[in-house]
Short mmCIF file of all heavy atoms in Angstrom, two decimals:
data_model
loop_
_atom_site.label_atom_id
_atom_site.label_comp_id
_atom_site.label_asym_id
_atom_site.label_seq_id
_atom_site.Cartn_x
_atom_site.Cartn_y
_atom_site.Cartn_z
N VAL I 174 -2.24 -3.69 -11.28
CA VAL I 174 -2.32 -2.85 -10.08
C VAL I 174 -0.97 -2.83 -9.36
O VAL I 174 -0.45 -1.76 -9.02
CB VAL I 174 -3.44 -3.36 -9.12
CG1 VAL I 174 -3.36 -2.65 -7.77
CG2 VAL I 174 -4.80 -3.15 -9.76
N THR I 175 -0.38 -4.00 -9.16
CA THR I 175 0.87 -4.05 -8.40
C THR I 175 2.03 -3.41 -9.16
O THR I 175 2.98 -2.92 -8.56
CB THR I 175 1.24 -5.49 -7.98
OG1 THR I 175 1.26 -6.32 -9.14
CG2 THR I 175 0.23 -6.05 -6.98
N ASN I 176 1.96 -3.39 -10.48
CA ASN I 176 3.00 -2.76 -11.29
C ASN I 176 2.71 -1.30 -11.60
O ASN I 176 3.35 -0.70 -12.46
CB ASN I 176 3.19 -3.53 -12.60
CG ASN I 176 3.77 -4.91 -12.39
OD1 ASN I 176 4.44 -5.16 -11.40
ND2 ASN I 176 3.50 -5.82 -13.30
N ASP I 177 1.71 -0.73 -10.93
CA ASP I 177 1.33 0.68 -11.13
C ASP I 177 0.95 0.99 -12.57
O ASP I 177 1.24 2.07 -13.07
CB ASP I 177 2.44 1.62 -10.65
CG ASP I 177 2.60 1.57 -9.14
OD1 ASP I 177 1.58 1.53 -8.43
OD2 ASP I 177 3.76 1.56 -8.67
N LYS I 178 0.34 0.06 -13.25
CA LYS I 178 -0.08 0.28 -14.63
C LYS I 178 -1.59 0.51 -14.75
O LYS I 178 -2.08 0.87 -15.81
CB LYS I 178 0.33 -0.90 -15.50
CG LYS I 178 1.84 -1.02 -15.68
CD LYS I 178 2.17 -2.05 -16.73
CE LYS I 178 3.62 -2.32 -17.00
NZ LYS I 178 4.61 -1.38 -16.57
N ALA I 179 -2.34 0.26 -13.68
CA ALA I 179 -3.80 0.37 -13.72
C ALA I 179 -4.24 1.80 -13.40
O ALA I 179 -3.81 2.38 -12.41
CB ALA I 179 -4.44 -0.60 -12.75
N ALA I 180 -5.09 2.36 -14.26
CA ALA I 180 -5.66 3.68 -14.00
C ALA I 180 -6.97 3.53 -13.22
O ALA I 180 -7.30 4.35 -12.36
CB ALA I 180 -5.93 4.40 -15.32
N LYS I 181 -7.72 2.48 -13.54
CA LYS I 181 -9.02 2.25 -12.93
C LYS I 181 -9.28 0.76 -12.97
O LYS I 181 -8.89 0.09 -13.92
CB LYS I 181 -10.08 2.98 -13.76
CG LYS I 181 -11.45 3.02 -13.13
CD LYS I 181 -12.46 3.69 -14.04
CE LYS I 181 -12.19 5.18 -14.19
NZ LYS I 181 -13.17 5.83 -15.05
N VAL I 182 -9.93 0.23 -11.94
CA VAL I 182 -10.20 -1.20 -11.88
C VAL I 182 -11.71 -1.42 -11.80
O VAL I 182 -12.42 -0.68 -11.12
CB VAL I 182 -9.48 -1.84 -10.67
CG1 VAL I 182 -9.96 -3.26 -10.42
CG2 VAL I 182 -7.97 -1.82 -10.89
N TYR I 183 -12.18 -2.41 -12.53
CA TYR I 183 -13.59 -2.79 -12.53
C TYR I 183 -13.73 -4.14 -11.83
O TYR I 183 -12.97 -5.06 -12.12
CB TYR I 183 -14.11 -2.91 -13.96
CG TYR I 183 -14.02 -1.61 -14.73
CD1 TYR I 183 -12.86 -1.26 -15.43
CD2 TYR I 183 -15.08 -0.71 -14.72
CE1 TYR I 183 -12.76 -0.06 -16.10
CE2 TYR I 183 -14.99 0.50 -15.41
CZ TYR I 183 -13.84 0.82 -16.09
OH TYR I 183 -13.74 2.01 -16.76
N VAL I 184 -14.68 -4.22 -10.90
CA VAL I 184 -14.90 -5.47 -10.16
C VAL I 184 -16.37 -5.83 -10.25
O VAL I 184 -17.25 -5.00 -10.01
CB VAL I 184 -14.50 -5.28 -8.66
CG1 VAL I 184 -14.84 -6.52 -7.85
CG2 VAL I 184 -13.03 -4.95 -8.54
N ALA I 185 -16.64 -7.09 -10.61
CA ALA I 185 -18.02 -7.58 -10.66
C ALA I 185 -18.50 -7.89 -9.25
O ALA I 185 -17.80 -8.56 -8.48
CB ALA I 185 -18.10 -8.83 -11.54
N ARG I 186 -19.68 -7.40 -8.91
CA ARG I 186 -20.22 -7.61 -7.56
C ARG I 186 -20.49 -9.08 -7.27
O ARG I 186 -20.48 -9.49 -6.11
CB ARG I 186 -21.52 -6.81 -7.37
CG ARG I 186 -21.31 -5.32 -7.33
CD ARG I 186 -22.62 -4.62 -6.97
NE ARG I 186 -22.53 -3.18 -7.20
CZ ARG I 186 -21.98 -2.32 -6.36
NH1 ARG I 186 -21.46 -2.73 -5.24
NH2 ARG I 186 -21.94 -1.03 -6.64
N ASP I 187 -20.78 -9.87 -8.30
CA ASP I 187 -21.11 -11.28 -8.06
C ASP I 187 -19.89 -12.20 -8.17
O ASP I 187 -20.02 -13.42 -8.10
CB ASP I 187 -22.23 -11.74 -8.99
CG ASP I 187 -21.84 -11.77 -10.46
OD1 ASP I 187 -20.82 -11.14 -10.83
OD2 ASP I 187 -22.57 -12.40 -11.24
N ALA I 188 -18.71 -11.63 -8.32
CA ALA I 188 -17.49 -12.45 -8.36
C ALA I 188 -17.19 -12.94 -6.95
O ALA I 188 -17.56 -12.31 -5.97
CB ALA I 188 -16.32 -11.62 -8.89
N GLU I 189 -16.50 -14.09 -6.87
CA GLU I 189 -16.19 -14.64 -5.55
C GLU I 189 -15.17 -13.77 -4.84
O GLU I 189 -14.20 -13.29 -5.44
CB GLU I 189 -15.66 -16.06 -5.72
CG GLU I 189 -16.72 -17.01 -6.25
CD GLU I 189 -16.24 -18.44 -6.27
OE1 GLU I 189 -15.46 -18.83 -5.38
OE2 GLU I 189 -16.64 -19.17 -7.19
N GLU I 190 -15.40 -13.59 -3.56
CA GLU I 190 -14.57 -12.66 -2.77
C GLU I 190 -13.10 -13.07 -2.76
O GLU I 190 -12.21 -12.22 -2.80
CB GLU I 190 -15.10 -12.55 -1.34
CG GLU I 190 -14.38 -11.46 -0.57
CD GLU I 190 -14.83 -11.35 0.89
OE1 GLU I 190 -15.90 -11.88 1.22
OE2 GLU I 190 -14.09 -10.74 1.67
N HIS I 191 -12.83 -14.39 -2.72
CA HIS I 191 -11.42 -14.80 -2.66
C HIS I 191 -10.67 -14.43 -3.95
O HIS I 191 -9.45 -14.33 -3.95
CB HIS I 191 -11.28 -16.30 -2.35
CG HIS I 191 -11.64 -17.20 -3.49
ND1 HIS I 191 -12.88 -17.78 -3.61
CD2 HIS I 191 -10.92 -17.63 -4.55
CE1 HIS I 191 -12.90 -18.52 -4.71
NE2 HIS I 191 -11.73 -18.44 -5.29
N VAL I 192 -11.43 -14.18 -5.02
CA VAL I 192 -10.82 -13.76 -6.28
C VAL I 192 -10.56 -12.25 -6.27
O VAL I 192 -9.52 -11.78 -6.73
CB VAL I 192 -11.74 -14.13 -7.48
CG1 VAL I 192 -11.20 -13.56 -8.78
CG2 VAL I 192 -11.92 -15.63 -7.57
N THR I 193 -11.48 -11.51 -5.71
CA THR I 193 -11.41 -10.04 -5.82
C THR I 193 -10.76 -9.34 -4.63
O THR I 193 -10.29 -8.21 -4.76
CB THR I 193 -12.82 -9.45 -6.01
OG1 THR I 193 -13.64 -9.80 -4.87
CG2 THR I 193 -13.48 -9.98 -7.28
N LYS I 194 -10.74 -9.99 -3.47
CA LYS I 194 -10.30 -9.29 -2.25
C LYS I 194 -8.89 -8.72 -2.36
O LYS I 194 -8.67 -7.56 -2.02
CB LYS I 194 -10.41 -10.22 -1.04
CG LYS I 194 -10.06 -9.49 0.26
CD LYS I 194 -10.34 -10.33 1.48
CE LYS I 194 -10.07 -9.63 2.79
NZ LYS I 194 -9.48 -8.30 2.76
N LYS I 195 -7.92 -9.50 -2.82
CA LYS I 195 -6.55 -8.99 -2.85
C LYS I 195 -6.41 -7.86 -3.88
O LYS I 195 -5.60 -6.95 -3.69
CB LYS I 195 -5.53 -10.10 -3.09
CG LYS I 195 -5.48 -10.67 -4.48
CD LYS I 195 -4.35 -11.68 -4.58
CE LYS I 195 -4.19 -12.17 -6.01
NZ LYS I 195 -3.06 -13.08 -6.17
N ILE I 196 -7.21 -7.90 -4.92
CA ILE I 196 -7.19 -6.82 -5.92
C ILE I 196 -7.77 -5.54 -5.31
O ILE I 196 -7.19 -4.46 -5.46
CB ILE I 196 -7.96 -7.24 -7.19
CG1 ILE I 196 -7.21 -8.39 -7.87
CG2 ILE I 196 -8.16 -6.06 -8.13
CD1 ILE I 196 -8.01 -9.12 -8.92
N ILE I 197 -8.90 -5.68 -4.62
CA ILE I 197 -9.52 -4.53 -3.98
C ILE I 197 -8.57 -3.93 -2.93
O ILE I 197 -8.38 -2.72 -2.86
CB ILE I 197 -10.88 -4.91 -3.35
CG1 ILE I 197 -11.88 -5.25 -4.47
CG2 ILE I 197 -11.41 -3.81 -2.45
CD1 ILE I 197 -13.15 -5.93 -4.01
N ASP I 198 -7.95 -4.80 -2.13
CA ASP I 198 -6.99 -4.33 -1.11
C ASP I 198 -5.82 -3.59 -1.75
O ASP I 198 -5.39 -2.54 -1.27
CB ASP I 198 -6.47 -5.50 -0.27
CG ASP I 198 -7.54 -6.09 0.64
OD1 ASP I 198 -8.60 -5.44 0.83
OD2 ASP I 198 -7.33 -7.20 1.16
N ALA I 199 -5.30 -4.16 -2.85
CA ALA I 199 -4.18 -3.52 -3.55
C ALA I 199 -4.58 -2.17 -4.12
O ALA I 199 -3.82 -1.20 -4.04
CB ALA I 199 -3.66 -4.44 -4.66
N CYS I 200 -5.79 -2.09 -4.69
CA CYS I 200 -6.29 -0.81 -5.22
C CYS I 200 -6.41 0.22 -4.10
O CYS I 200 -6.02 1.38 -4.28
CB CYS I 200 -7.66 -1.00 -5.87
SG CYS I 200 -7.59 -1.86 -7.43
N ASN I 201 -6.94 -0.21 -2.97
CA ASN I 201 -7.11 0.72 -1.85
C ASN I 201 -5.76 1.22 -1.35
O ASN I 201 -5.61 2.40 -1.05
CB ASN I 201 -7.90 0.05 -0.71
CG ASN I 201 -9.36 -0.13 -1.07
OD1 ASN I 201 -9.90 0.58 -1.92
ND2 ASN I 201 -10.00 -1.10 -0.45
N SER I 202 -4.77 0.35 -1.29
CA SER I 202 -3.47 0.77 -0.79
C SER I 202 -2.76 1.70 -1.77
O SER I 202 -1.93 2.50 -1.38
CB SER I 202 -2.60 -0.44 -0.45
OG SER I 202 -2.13 -1.05 -1.63
N LYS I 203 -3.12 1.62 -3.05
CA LYS I 203 -2.49 2.48 -4.06
C LYS I 203 -3.42 3.61 -4.52
O LYS I 203 -3.12 4.30 -5.48
CB LYS I 203 -2.07 1.64 -5.27
CG LYS I 203 -0.92 0.69 -4.93
CD LYS I 203 -0.52 -0.11 -6.15
CE LYS I 203 0.68 -0.98 -5.87
NZ LYS I 203 1.94 -0.26 -5.99
N SER I 204 -4.57 3.74 -3.86
CA SER I 204 -5.56 4.79 -4.20
C SER I 204 -6.00 4.74 -5.66
O SER I 204 -6.11 5.77 -6.32
CB SER I 204 -5.01 6.18 -3.86
OG SER I 204 -4.71 6.25 -2.50
#
């Protein structure tokens, strides 16, 4: 995501938030 190589990101709903939050935030900031 940070290197602009991700086209789409998949996130498991039952994953711990501290693991997924920065990824979700990065995705949102890069649309």
Side-chain angles (χ1 to χ4, degrees):
V174 170
T175 54
N176 292 335
D177 292 318
K178 292 189 182 342
K181 189 183 291 181
V182 169
Y183 299 88
V184 175
R186 291 187 192 279
D187 66 344
E189 294 186 34
E190 188 183 343
H191 73 263
V192 174
T193 60
K194 184 172 182 355
K195 73 176 185 176
I196 294 166
I197 292 168
D198 290 346
C200 287
N201 289 336
S202 74
K203 291 181 176 277
S204 301

